Amino acid sequence: MIKLLMIQPENKEINKFRRLQFNNFSQITIPYLAAFVDERKYEITLIDEYSQKIPYSKRFDLVAITVNTPNAMHCYEISRRFRQKGSDVVFGGPHATLLPGEASAHCDYLVAGEAESSWKQFLEDYCIGAALKRYESDRPPSLEGLPAPRWDLLKRSSLMKGAVFASRGCPYSCRYCNLKQIYHDCYRSRPVTDVVSEIKAMRSLFFVFWDDNFFARNNYAKQLLQALAPLKRKWAAQATLKDCNDDGLLRLAKEAGCMYLFVGLESFTEGSLGDAGKAVNRICEYEQAIKRIHSHGIMVQAGIVFGFDSDDASVFAQTLEACERLGIDGVTASILTPFPKTPIYEQYKAQDRLLSEDWSIYNSKTAVAFAPRLMSPEELFEGYSWFRREFYSLKSFAKRMRISKTNVAANFIINAGYKMGINRQAGFVKKITINAVYAIGVFIAVALAAIALFGPTGYIDAKAMLPITYREQAFCGLAFGSLPMLFASSAFYSANANSSRLNNKGYALLVFSPLLVCSVCALLIAFWILAGIVSMLA
């Protein structure tokens, strides 16, 4: 039997960013492709790098890796290590489809494009030793009768395994999007009964549709929603704002359990929408469309992209103001990224504006891969980071909820999850914890000193042993109370060692006063003990 390892990769940078987020539904690709594998011929091991380590020490005959652009360099290194051990490696996925020549240099076999038929053919050929170097579907594969993803092979919580797709493709052609280069250029949908059966088999109450445009085919969407309603599940999907103008469709979506819709607004300026090639969006229609979605009790998660050629440094504050004014519930903010083969990539490459072709920085979240026209790369990244912090602040949440008034409790939990992720990313949680410990230390010190000074017997009843006064007991209590302050101040200093705040006299006093108090009290207590011993000997 052939030992097959299937890897859903994540490089360290992406993994670090994703693990800070609140909701991380699993990608569906590898569990889905695993369903095509004949287990009479193959022994499957599935690894998701989000939560698992790659077992380099084990021996596999064949290693299958789905390669997207930000993970490309990481995948090439994974392949190198396994090929050195004698394993064959097969690549598939977006990057292998966009740049097959580059990817082929790092693997033994390549499956480009949509893989329903070609992946299955490759597995059959490999099993008999007749596999070709490259496979690619020459026509759109049928989406009927597809096998259910092998979620049982994936080590994730059942809550995060809730993912399904009902359709493939998008009728629009945004200049920064690579769907047209990855998929066959036609919109297709699965039979409603197949989708419903797959959802019924899910263990989780919550799930997400990974469709690129869930409402693109209105009649199909309505049929699916009517079939979903009896399942009593909760879900989210992605749709174009233009397709959300149908009240009947939104009513069915709410009855079927829709909690929120991800809508690609992209920008609030006409110039940037032109740069994006997003002609389907009309800014003048945003407010009415969002109100319509909210009126059906559905939250709006807006997709915002920063860095178009019409964007300058003022775009971040303008976008925040617009989001608060419209009551947008959540935002997935991204840095414009020129993915290979897209029109924007070709434009920036011709203009010599690509900063690097180290694909690991092409992740839309942690780096800028090109030279913006009206600001520096640093300004773009700092502005994007500022927007995320401000949007998910409590102040902004309150402003947005006054307008939205939609699922406030669920909204708060989702926003708080994003806020926690941003705080962890910025190291705020560590600082808040240290400050809290310091405050507790101050409280303990004051409380113990008060008990020692004003209590009927004092902090410790040592009068029977030594001639101790209430004043001396107060020193003793203050010393004990200062110990937690001492530890907290040390941690506080470590967390702020490189901060200009330590130049402030108030902060310096906070850091060093516990040490001073402990030292003085220790000297007084030592003097008190020495005096008591002398008194007893006399």
Side-chain angles (χ1 to χ4, degrees):
M1 185 174 286
I2 298 170
K3 291 187 176 182
L4 169 63
L5 172 64
M6 304 185 71
I7 301 175
Q8 200 153 270
E10 279 195 6
N11 65 43
K12 290 182 179 179
E13 191 75 9
I14 297 170
N15 188 266
K16 180 181 177 182
F17 184 90
R18 288 224 310 139
R19 291 182 74 86
L20 294 174
Q21 303 304 304
F22 178 69
N23 55 335
N24 286 303
F25 283 97
S26 172
Q27 298 299 311
I28 197 173
T29 305
I30 286 295
Y32 175 54
L33 292 178
F36 289 87
V37 179
D38 186 346
E39 291 193 87
R40 295 169 300 179
K41 302 173 182 177
Y42 290 89
E43 178 187 322
I44 310 174
T45 300
L46 194 154
I47 293 293
D48 179 6
E49 266 199 294
Y50 175 81
S51 57
Q52 295 171 275
K53 299 291 185 182
I54 295 176
Y56 289 110
S57 60
K58 295 184 179 179
R59 176 75 171 82
F60 297 94
D61 301 299
L62 179 63
V63 179
I65 308 172
T66 179
V67 187
N68 60 36
T69 297
N71 274 323
M73 311 303 285
H74 177 55
C75 293
Y76 297 162
E77 175 60 17
I78 296 172
S79 177
R80 184 191 67 79
R81 293 182 65 172
F82 276 111
R83 292 173 85 188
Q84 281 184 341
K85 295 171 67 68
S87 301
D88 290 325
V89 174
V90 55
F91 279 168
H95 196 76
T97 301
L98 296 169
L99 297 177
E102 175 190 295
S104 294
H106 300 275
C107 64
D108 300 288
Y109 307 100
L110 187 140
V111 180
E114 299 181 52
E116 278 80 4
S117 57
S118 52
W119 166 242
K120 187 175 180 180
Q121 185 62 53
F122 165 75
L123 290 172
E124 292 175 359
D125 292 346
Y126 184 85
C127 193
I128 61 174
L132 304 176
K133 291 294 182 182
R134 180 171 171 179
Y135 291 77
E136 186 168 5
S137 60
D138 56 2
R139 63 177 64 88
S142 171
L143 299 183
E144 294 185 14
L146 298 176
R150 292 293 306 275
W151 296 115
D152 58 303
L153 299 175
L154 188 69
K155 293 185 178 179
R156 291 281 295 275
S157 70
S158 57
L159 176 64
M160 293 295 107
K161 291 181 183 179
V164 65
F165 78 97
S167 62
R168 180 175 295 166
C170 180
Y172 307 111
S173 299
C174 301
R175 297 183 66 245
Y176 59 88
C177 180
N178 54 19
L179 286 180
K180 299 294 186 183
Q181 292 79 37
I182 296 172
Y183 298 145
H184 291 281
D185 191 6
C186 59
Y187 184 85
R188 289 150 287 152
S189 55
R190 298 174 62 191
V192 168
T193 53
D194 289 2
V195 179
V196 172
S197 295
E198 192 171 315
I199 294 169
K200 281 182 178 179
M202 291 180 182
R203 296 176 60 187
S204 175
L205 173 66
F206 302 94
F207 71 93
V208 61
F209 280 104
W210 277 146
D211 299 46
D212 299 300
N213 196 331
F214 186 65
F215 289 163
R217 188 172 290 171
N218 186 287
N219 290 335
Y220 171 79
K222 287 181 177 179
Q223 291 175 25
L224 178 55
L225 293 172
Q226 288 170 342
L228 280 178
L231 303 186
K232 305 298 182 184
R233 304 292 181 98
K234 299 296 182 182
W235 51 272
Q238 178 172 305
T240 300
L241 200 63
K242 174 181 177 292
D243 297 319
C244 296
N245 288 324
D246 185 333
D247 281 303
L249 182 64
L250 293 173
R251 176 180 54 79
L252 288 173
K254 179 60 178 177
E255 291 173 355
C258 181
M259 292 187 66
Y260 69 85
L261 290 171
F262 178 96
V263 292
L265 299 184
E266 318 312 348
S267 179
F268 288 89
T269 67
E270 297 290 353
S272 295
L273 289 179
D275 296 336
K278 194 90 173 185
V280 67
N281 277 12
R282 297 181 182 277
I283 296 171
C284 61
E285 298 175 355
Y286 282 7
E287 183 173 6
Q288 191 59 40
I290 291 168
K291 283 182 178 179
R292 180 176 288 109
I293 296 171
H294 281 157
S295 71
H296 291 276
I298 299 172
M299 295 178 283
V300 175
Q301 180 83 7
I304 302 291
V305 179
F306 293 115
F308 293 109
D309 278 356
S310 298
D311 288 345
D312 59 24
S314 67
V315 70
F316 310 106
Q318 291 172 0
T319 303
L320 178 64
E321 185 278 329
C323 288
E324 292 175 345
R325 175 171 48 82
L326 298 179
I328 289 175
D329 304 282
V331 158
T332 299
S334 301
I335 300 167
L336 178 64
T337 301
F339 290 109
K341 300 298 183 180
T342 60
I344 277 188
Y345 174 87
E346 300 299 339
Q347 174 192 340
Y348 290 176
K349 187 170 184 178
Q351 295 173 347
D352 196 27
R353 292 171 59 188
L354 299 178
L355 299 179
S356 170
E357 289 201 349
D358 172 1
W359 303 121
S360 61
I361 70 171
Y362 284 64
N363 60 41
S364 305
K365 302 297 180 186
T366 67
V368 178
F370 71 102
R373 192 168 71 89
L374 297 179
M375 53 183 148
S376 68
E378 292 75 20
E379 286 176 311
L380 173 55
F381 185 78
E382 289 169 7
Y384 149 83
S385 301
W386 174 87
F387 172 84
R388 292 182 71 238
R389 289 195 303 271
E390 292 300 312
F391 181 89
Y392 284 108
S393 67
L394 187 59
K395 177 182 177 182
S396 177
F397 176 76
K399 288 181 180 179
R400 292 182 281 112
M401 286 306 98
R402 282 200 294 268
I403 306 299
S404 170
K405 301 182 177 68
T406 307
N407 299 335
V408 176
N411 234 322
F412 179 79
I413 293 171
I414 294 170
N415 274 258
Y418 277 103
K419 178 65 174 174
M420 287 174 62
I422 292 169
N423 284 349
R424 286 198 296 268
Q425 188 177 7
F428 291 162
V429 172
K430 178 181 178 181
K431 293 178 182 178
I432 290 170
T433 302
I434 290 169
N435 291 344
V437 171
Y438 188 91
I440 291 170
V442 171
F443 174 79
I444 292 172
V446 172
L448 292 181
I451 291 170
L453 186 60
F454 301 110
T457 60
Y459 178 67
I460 54 173
D461 190 7
K463 287 186 176 181
M465 295 182 294
L466 297 173
I468 181 173
T469 66
Y470 282 119
R471 183 176 60 188
E472 290 161 342
Q473 291 178 59
F475 283 131
C476 185
L478 191 59
F480 280 110
S482 296
L483 289 176
M485 290 174 63
L486 181 61
F487 288 116
S489 67
S490 175
F492 186 93
Y493 178 79
S494 298
N496 295 278
N498 297 321
S499 172
S500 60
R501 295 197 299 177
L502 286 183
N503 294 327
N504 181 287
K505 291 181 180 179
Y507 274 107
L509 183 64
L510 283 174
V511 172
F512 296 112
S513 59
L515 179 62
L516 178 63
V517 170
C518 281
S519 299
V520 171
C521 289
L523 288 173
L524 289 171
I525 291 171
F527 178 76
W528 157 61
I529 292 173
L530 181 61
I533 292 172
V534 170
S535 177
M536 290 176 64
L537 291 175

